[in-house]
Amino acid sequence: MRIDIITVIPELLESPLSHSIMKRARDKGLLEVHLHHLRQWAVNEYGQVDDYQYGGGAGMVMMPEPLAKAIEALSQNTQYDEIIYMTPDGATFNQATANQLSMKQNLLIICGHYKGIDQRIRDHFVTREISIGDYVLSGGELAAAIVVDAIGRLLPGVLNDETSALFDSFQDNLLAPPVYTRPADFRGWKVPDILLSGDLKKIEEWRYEQAVQRTTERKPDLLKD
Ligand code: ADE
């Protein structure tokens, strides 16, 4: 999969997408991430990409011209399945969206800043708008990093058996059960006996019950579906 990201602060994306599982995905060639600085398409020699908003009001708006040029230039080389704009008024990101997007070939992600991007870009280019939650970040970069991470780890071959996404929270609308590692007794706090029993069938059942209980207590909405 190829993901292109248009941003005014590529530094915010470099580190989150260069370590751990994202690094492995990129090193293996399963995920290609390309960061594009919007200033390449600035309207003048000062690197301007934003301007005051029509109608007045505090805060700058990202101008349509640099964004349109960026999208058009990148689209010459790549046929995008989706052009995604990161914005707090988008649809809330969840595992189902991550699963869906992980099946695409090419994604283009636009990170907004300031008051956001000119509405005409949203109307004429953007195919999907994503929020990572009901709070406002300073820009779309950290949100984009989260979306790319959630998608990237689902790509076939990225995770090994040990980290398999099949057992993640949310994957079957259930939160993951509790997990334990050595020692079996830490400060008198014991690992549940069942996990030491070696009875794989019973362990599986216990994990399932724990997952259902946790989901019921913490995120009952997941069980509605
Ligand atoms: N940009 C600013 N806040 C955001 C959010 N909550 N989700 C996605 N992009 C954003």
Side-chain angles (χ1 to χ4, degrees):
M1 167 183 262
R2 177 187 172 110
I3 303 181
D4 291 279
I5 306 179
I6 299 172
T7 167
V8 287
I9 315 183
E11 295 83 355
L12 278 176
L13 284 149
E14 272 155 16
S15 174
L17 301 178
S18 303
H19 299 278
S20 178
I21 290 169
M22 289 307 102
K23 175 171 166 43
R24 196 192 314 157
R26 295 173 77 176
D27 288 350
K28 280 183 168 176
L30 300 167
L31 174 65
E32 262 185 56
V33 180
H34 300 272
L35 306 176
H36 306 277
H37 206 308
L38 182 62
R39 291 204 200 281
Q40 294 170 71
W41 295 283
V43 293
N44 57 31
E45 63 198 288
Y46 307 109
Q48 188 182 358
V49 294
D50 61 345
D51 210 335
Y52 295 101
Q53 54 177 315
Y54 277 120
M60 306 292 270
V61 174
M62 289 170 76
M63 302 168 82
E65 184 179 324
L67 284 166
K69 282 190 172 157
I71 295 166
E72 282 162 356
L74 297 172
S75 299
Q76 294 222 316
N77 302 322
T78 309
Q79 174 89 39
Y80 293 107
D81 301 302
E82 297 261 13
I83 299 182
I84 298 168
Y85 173 46
M86 302 308 306
T87 173
D89 59 12
T92 307
F93 190 61
N94 59 19
Q95 192 64 44
T97 311
N99 291 347
Q100 245 181 42
L101 291 176
S102 74
M103 289 183 255
K104 311 279 183 183
Q105 282 303 308
N106 302 305
L107 301 176
L108 177 57
I109 302 181
I110 301 168
C111 302
H113 260 272
Y114 324 112
K115 277 279 165 198
I117 67 174
D118 188 285
Q119 182 61 38
R120 290 165 289 186
I121 295 297
R122 299 172 71 164
D123 294 342
H124 297 286
F125 290 101
V126 169
T127 60
R128 188 190 279 260
E129 301 188 325
I130 294 180
S131 161
I132 58 158
D134 290 342
Y135 40 82
V136 180
L137 302 167
S138 337
E141 284 78 8
L142 298 179
I146 284 169
V147 167
V148 173
D149 185 295
I151 296 171
R153 61 195 296 288
L154 295 174
L155 300 176
V158 170
L159 297 184
N160 46 37
D161 276 354
E162 224 174 286
T163 49
S164 169
L166 287 178
F167 304 108
D168 285 344
S169 277
F170 303 109
Q171 217 36 286
D172 43 12
N173 272 353
L174 285 178
L175 299 180
V179 291
Y180 299 86
T181 186
R182 285 186 293 183
D185 183 337
F186 173 65
R187 299 184 179 173
W189 306 327
K190 302 223 170 57
V191 170
D193 287 339
I194 181 85
L195 295 178
L196 311 175
S197 70
D199 185 336
L200 294 184
K201 188 159 175 288
K202 284 250 163 62
I203 290 174
E204 218 31 65
E205 282 165 16
W206 179 86
R207 285 188 169 145
Y208 181 72
E209 283 160 19
Q210 292 289 316
V212 171
Q213 186 183 327
R214 213 166 239 207
T215 312
T216 310
E217 286 167 6
R218 301 179 183 206
K219 294 206 182 276
D221 282 0
L222 288 177
L223 296 172
K224 280 195 203 127
D225 309 329

